[in-house]
Amino acid sequence: MQSANHTDNADFDEIGKFTKLADEWWDRMGAFKSLHDINPLRLNWIEDRVSEYYGSSLVDKTVVDIGCGGGILAHSMAVRGADVLGIDLGEANLKAASIHAAKTGMQKLQFRCVPAETLAQEEPEQYDVVSCMEMLEHVPDPAAIVQACYDLLKPGGVCVMSTINRNPKSYLFAIIGAEYVLNLVDKGTHDYQKFITPAELDQMAMQAGFCRFDMTGLHYNPITKHYWLSNSNVDVNYMMAFVKPQAESLADMSDANRGDHG
């Protein structure tokens, strides 16, 4: 039984920014072009992290993609062989995702309109992999989402998250540059005050029970229109990979990776 109204941890103004563009989710030159452009990078990074930890690819892994939007990442993980559930609170987004899945005959892909916290109560420790990409900076309580990610994972499961750092450079690049100069995303898509530093995300994850084992930055050159990853620079967009330990002794595995990143 749901013990709380988990839709309280949803900003419906934020959700509306994406649902009003639902018809454009699968237009590769439309409003979500940047997500299509970065998807191969983040997909390969996710599968590499899964393979690094599990010793095998996404094939036959159970995956839940939190804040799946129109299903761009969820669909690509299903193509790689995972059994994927995409969840989102934007019904129009999910409709676009479901229509595309049906058109492409994707059988290993399902969608639900359900809060992550509610799903974590319904299906605790049921997933090999949890992904939460470009979503934490759009909710009132990101720590609650991180906790739900932990609760959804099987012991030994892998969680991957991405968000935007909070500093003057990220304001310049993610808001001024991306929204007003390059028009990579719609104006008003991001709220600088909701950006999350790597140190803050690391702390949320540790409080939930996770151990971090990788982090990388995502970068864009507006002249060449080239995206790439770099472990040495997480100033703006970044991704983190965590594991849910099978035992307390595994908590030491991330000590070498842990540190303060502003």
Side-chain angles (χ1 to χ4, degrees), residues 46-249:
I46 289 168
E47 185 154 45
D48 286 347
R49 301 292 74 74
V50 170
S51 298
E52 178 183 349
Y53 189 72
Y54 279 110
S56 59
S57 67
L58 282 167
V59 174
D60 294 330
K61 298 293 189 301
T62 53
V63 179
V64 59
D65 185 27
I66 297 173
C68 66
I72 295 171
L73 176 61
H75 187 275
S76 63
M77 290 191 289
V79 169
R80 292 281 176 96
D83 291 292
V84 183
L85 172 65
I87 67 170
D88 200 278
L89 294 183
E91 293 187 9
N93 297 334
L94 295 175
K95 182 177 180 181
S98 297
I99 290 172
H100 186 266
K103 283 182 177 178
T104 55
M106 188 55 59
Q107 300 296 316
K108 305 185 75 170
L109 182 57
Q110 297 181 351
F111 297 98
R112 280 189 64 190
C113 186
V114 60
E117 299 94 324
T118 300
L119 186 67
Q121 289 186 344
E122 295 175 355
E123 301 182 1
E125 300 191 342
Q126 294 300 303
Y127 294 90
D128 299 311
V129 179
V130 173
S131 57
C132 183
M133 314 296 280
E134 289 86 46
M135 183 262 200
L136 292 174
E137 69 272 20
H138 297 289
V139 298
D141 186 2
I145 302 297
V146 174
Q147 184 65 60
C149 292
Y150 180 88
D151 295 340
L152 284 159
L153 273 178
K154 299 175 182 177
V158 172
C159 177
V160 288
M161 305 180 195
S162 70
T163 190
I164 305 176
N165 204 341
R166 188 180 66 257
N167 55 47
K169 182 177 178 180
S170 68
Y171 180 82
L172 178 64
F173 280 71
I175 295 182
I176 301 300
E179 296 185 15
Y180 290 89
V181 178
L182 301 175
N183 295 315
L184 295 176
V185 295
D186 274 10
K187 295 177 177 64
T189 296
H190 296 114
D191 179 348
Y192 175 74
Q193 298 302 322
K194 292 183 177 180
F195 289 177
I196 302 168
T197 70
E200 289 168 344
L201 181 53
D202 218 11
Q203 183 64 27
M204 293 177 203
M206 284 190 292
Q207 288 178 345
F210 279 120
C211 297
R212 172 167 59 84
F213 70 97
D214 197 21
M215 176 168 61
T216 191
L218 175 67
H219 307 279
Y220 177 68
N221 185 319
I223 298 175
T224 63
K225 298 185 179 179
H226 173 63
Y227 289 92
W228 74 97
L229 302 181
S230 172
N231 291 342
S232 63
N233 186 339
V234 294
D235 289 349
V236 187
N237 297 83
Y238 65 95
M239 300 186 288
M240 281 188 179
F242 303 91
V243 63
K244 179 175 183 174
Q246 296 192 37
E248 289 298 324
S249 60

Side-chain angles (χ1 to χ4, degrees), residues 27-47:
D27 178 357
R28 294 179 181 272
M29 301 304 294
F32 300 103
K33 180 181 184 302
S34 61
L35 287 182
H36 286 282
D37 289 345
I38 67 173
N39 196 55
L41 274 177
R42 62 181 184 173
L43 174 63
N44 288 334
W45 182 82
I46 289 168
E47 185 154 45

